[in-house]
Amino acid sequence: MSASMICLCLTLRGIIHAAAYHISFKVTQTPKVVTAAGGREIIFYCAFPIFPDHSSVRVHWWKQGENEYLHTKPDRRKRFGLENKARGFFHLLSTTFQDSGVYHCAVIHQGTVQGNGTGSHLIVYVAPTPLNIVSRTPEGNSSASLTLECETAAFYPDNVILIWYKNGVETTLGIHTVKIQNSQGLYEVSSSLVETQPVLSDINYTCSVSHISLKTPVLISHTVSKLKQGAKQTVQIVCAVVGLAFLVLMIVIVTRYRLQNNEGRTRDSRQKAGVRNIDWFSGNWDMEQ
């Protein structure tokens, strides 16, 4: 075989090998999805085939929706590097809900991007607790219509399930729920329940909230009881009567004290004037000698 034929065969073999290498080049990321509370440490990995020239391999990361690599932004919470010849890492030291998103890695060899990662989805949650429930029933009127409002704390992500129960049975009548996003990017939910009919005694209303951050739904309840309302009114009346009696007693004590002081002053004045006894009918005054 001539030298030219040998050179041609080697060239074709190199081309075929390079083509096969690029076709089989695959970049994978782990884990695929991470759900975590704020403040937790997270590590993403990027795996790729080993390059003959390992020294010129770089792994860069970017967040989906952004136009530049993360390593170009100053942030002490983020660490990047190569764990070995075939795997890079992205270490997020302390997560916040703003970090939520999909992250990709890019494997760069000799200044050229050889492949991109499949993506890792990070969800940093904020719990919608504590809950708050407020009654809008007119004060002292237990037979009037009732409006209850159940409010969540600010939370993330926005997927939340809020259910009302009346005496343990789910109810959907008279329910109006509103979800808003505040200036910080967190979500808040307010749900109102309106009873247009007169409120009966001993009815329990429960607001249940489910969220990815909660292992079990969180409940908050409000009970309407005529007996409790009547007892409350009785206590208020008793307190008013006791307060009035105390006020009258203080007035009597102060009045008697002033009268005694006045009598004492009059007696002292007589003694200083030398008057021992006064007979107002006869006009005779006994003077001290």
Side-chain angles (χ1 to χ4, degrees):
M1 182 180 293
S2 64
S4 61
M5 290 297 295
I6 295 175
C7 182
L8 178 60
C9 289
L10 292 176
T11 302
L12 290 175
R13 181 183 296 179
I15 294 173
I16 294 172
H17 176 75
Y21 178 80
H22 285 288
I23 292 173
S24 63
F25 193 89
K26 183 179 181 181
V27 180
T28 59
Q29 288 183 224
T30 56
K32 296 294 184 182
V33 180
V34 176
T35 302
R40 178 181 167 185
E41 291 188 33
I42 299 297
I43 300 180
F44 294 120
Y45 295 98
C46 178
F48 49 88
I50 297 177
F51 288 91
D53 181 12
H54 171 69
S55 61
S56 61
V57 176
R58 299 290 182 270
V59 176
H60 291 170
W61 296 80
W62 85 91
K63 185 177 181 182
Q64 188 169 303
E66 298 182 358
N67 298 322
E68 58 181 329
Y69 292 126
L70 295 175
H71 75 279
T72 63
K73 299 179 180 180
D75 191 337
R76 296 181 179 179
R77 299 180 305 118
K78 299 179 175 66
R79 299 288 185 270
F80 309 94
L82 290 173
E83 187 177 64
N84 53 47
K85 295 181 179 180
R87 189 161 79 160
F89 68 86
F90 165 36
H91 187 187
L92 187 55
L93 300 179
S94 179
T95 58
T96 67
F97 84 93
Q98 290 93 341
D99 294 319
S100 298
V102 180
Y103 293 86
H104 296 269
C105 66
V107 179
I108 301 173
H109 181 240
Q110 295 181 349
T112 303
V113 176
Q114 302 296 324
N116 293 311
T118 52
S120 297
H121 191 187
L122 172 62
I123 302 173
V124 182
Y125 58 75
V126 179
T129 54
L131 303 181
N132 184 41
I133 192 168
V134 180
S135 172
R136 304 300 183 188
T137 305
E139 185 67 25
N141 188 359
S142 61
S143 63
S145 61
L146 170 70
T147 298
L148 296 177
E149 292 185 3
C150 180
E151 302 170 343
T152 69
F155 61 91
Y156 190 90
D158 64 335
N159 296 326
V160 70
I161 299 175
L162 191 150
I163 301 174
W164 282 96
Y165 295 91
K166 182 177 179 180
N167 282 346
V169 179
E170 182 178 348
T171 180
T172 58
L173 298 177
I175 306 297
H176 180 65
T177 302
V178 176
K179 179 170 62 179
I180 64 171
Q181 187 175 19
N182 62 25
S183 58
Q184 297 178 334
L186 297 172
Y187 296 89
E188 299 174 12
V189 166
S190 176
S191 181
S192 61
L193 180 150
V194 179
E195 288 278 24
T196 58
Q197 300 298 322
V199 180
L200 302 178
S201 178
D202 297 326
I203 301 297
N204 179 267
Y205 297 90
T206 300
C207 174
S208 170
V209 173
S210 300
H211 188 254
I212 189 174
S213 62
L214 305 172
K215 293 182 179 179
T216 59
V218 175
L219 309 176
I220 186 169
S221 298
H222 177 83
T223 300
V224 178
S225 174
K226 291 183 179 181
L227 178 61
K228 290 182 180 180
Q229 292 181 353
K232 180 179 178 180
Q233 293 176 352
T234 301
V235 171
Q236 291 175 344
I237 293 173
V238 170
C239 290
V241 172
V242 171
L244 180 61
F246 178 77
L247 179 62
V248 171
L249 178 61
M250 292 299 298
I251 293 175
V252 171
I253 292 174
V254 172
T255 302
R256 290 190 62 182
Y257 176 77
R258 290 181 176 177
L259 289 175
Q260 290 176 355
N261 281 347
N262 290 338
E263 290 178 358
R265 291 174 183 174
T266 302
R267 188 179 301 111
D268 292 342
S269 299
R270 291 175 184 172
Q271 291 177 353
K272 290 179 180 180
V275 179
R276 185 175 60 186
N277 189 24
I278 302 177
D279 188 349
W280 296 100
F281 294 97
S282 63
N284 296 325
W285 293 13
D286 293 335
M287 304 296 293
E288 293 182 354
Q289 299 299 325

